[in-house]
Amino acid sequence: DSASAPLLRSAAHQKNPSVSLAGTGYTVVWTESRGASSAIIGTHVDASGAPVGPRFVVAANVGPVEPPEISCSIDSCLVVWTDRSVPDQKLVWARLVGLQGEEKGAPLVVSEPDAASPVVGFDGTQWWVVFHSDHGSVRSRRISADGLLLDQDDLDAPPAPAGSKLTIACRINRNDCLVALVGTDSRSHRARLSQSGNVQWSSSQDTVNRVNAALGSNGSDYLVVSGEGHGCVGCVDQLNGILDAVRFDENAAEKKRMVLSGARRLNLAP
């Protein structure tokens, strides 16, 4: 709004913010760069957007990094990012912190040195970290509520174009998450991630070219929104101006399909 103001002022170059609901407020993380060195910084804000307590450091001196992502439970947040400071290596890291940045463990490597673009979601009992690999696959890691790496799995996803965006949403009351992406076949694909670690992939039957899917949940159903492109996978600037929204039920089966025209508020009532 017109009364908005910078959250925190700094002489460093600040960019790539990510935010998660955290208790009655929000926890925000971002990158700060000074020359060739970067750090991941965070702060907690109340419901009005005012900072609560001092800012905190998630990771310092991490070199070139991709934008961090954050997801919070009722008492902790998991922050994930890709570190490119080692030549020819891209590692996904994660760190567990309290809602206001209290340290809950050291940074943890969660990938092989060929990973990028992680997303993270909390399913009510654990976090799912999902990311691309240079081999064209999409991989996942589960991290426990106390920050322990539980497993290392390939999601066996359809090949996705380089730079395509992964998106994740979770239903804490149902202990699952849904991941969505657009594959090299220009179709939208989704995977339901269950609490047990089981992964179920399904694909749209679209005949049009899709670009970067977005995903959300109202706590009961999921909604996937994707755009129709001009034969260019991942090229958002070549949208036809048509957005489709597909609603999925509690079993991640297609329930309702909508065509959106311009900005709309979506009613998720049956």
Side-chain angles (χ1 to χ4, degrees), residues 59-234:
N61 301 318
V62 292
V65 295
E66 291 183 351
E69 296 286 341
I70 184 172
S71 175
C72 299
S73 66
I74 60 172
D75 59 6
S76 302
C77 299
L78 192 72
V79 184
V80 299
W81 67 95
T82 303
D83 189 336
R84 298 172 177 261
S85 58
V86 178
D88 301 321
Q89 288 192 3
K90 296 178 294 182
L91 291 168
V92 172
W93 290 75
R95 188 171 195 183
L96 191 66
V97 298
L99 300 186
Q100 297 188 32
E102 306 90 339
E103 292 187 1
K104 291 195 170 186
L108 174 71
V109 176
V110 298
S111 76
E112 294 80 12
D114 63 350
S117 308
V119 293
V120 59
F122 184 71
D123 71 4
T125 62
Q126 62 195 355
W127 279 277
W128 284 86
V129 182
V130 183
F131 51 90
H132 285 288
S133 81
D134 287 344
H135 304 295
S137 64
V138 176
R139 297 177 179 173
S140 73
R141 304 289 186 267
R142 289 187 301 157
I143 296 179
S144 69
D146 53 359
L148 299 178
L149 185 62
L150 297 177
D151 55 17
Q152 303 183 115
D153 291 318
D154 192 317
L155 288 188
D156 194 27
S164 64
K165 182 176 176 58
L166 292 168
T167 183
I168 189 171
C170 299
R171 302 180 297 188
I172 294 177
N173 58 325
R174 297 183 184 275
N175 300 124
D176 69 358
C177 298
L178 198 72
V179 172
L181 61 87
V182 174
T184 53
D185 58 2
S186 303
R187 294 165 58 192
S188 59
H189 303 270
R190 60 191 182 276
R192 183 186 181 194
L193 313 176
S194 69
Q195 183 179 2
S196 64
N198 185 45
V199 177
Q200 296 174 315
W201 275 99
S202 53
S203 304
S204 70
Q205 300 303 314
D206 298 332
T207 57
V208 300
N209 294 298
R210 291 292 167 191
V211 297
N212 293 341
L215 173 64
S217 174
N218 65 355
S220 176
D221 293 346
Y222 287 109
L223 192 75
V224 177
V225 179
S226 60
E228 179 180 333
H230 290 293
C232 179
V233 178

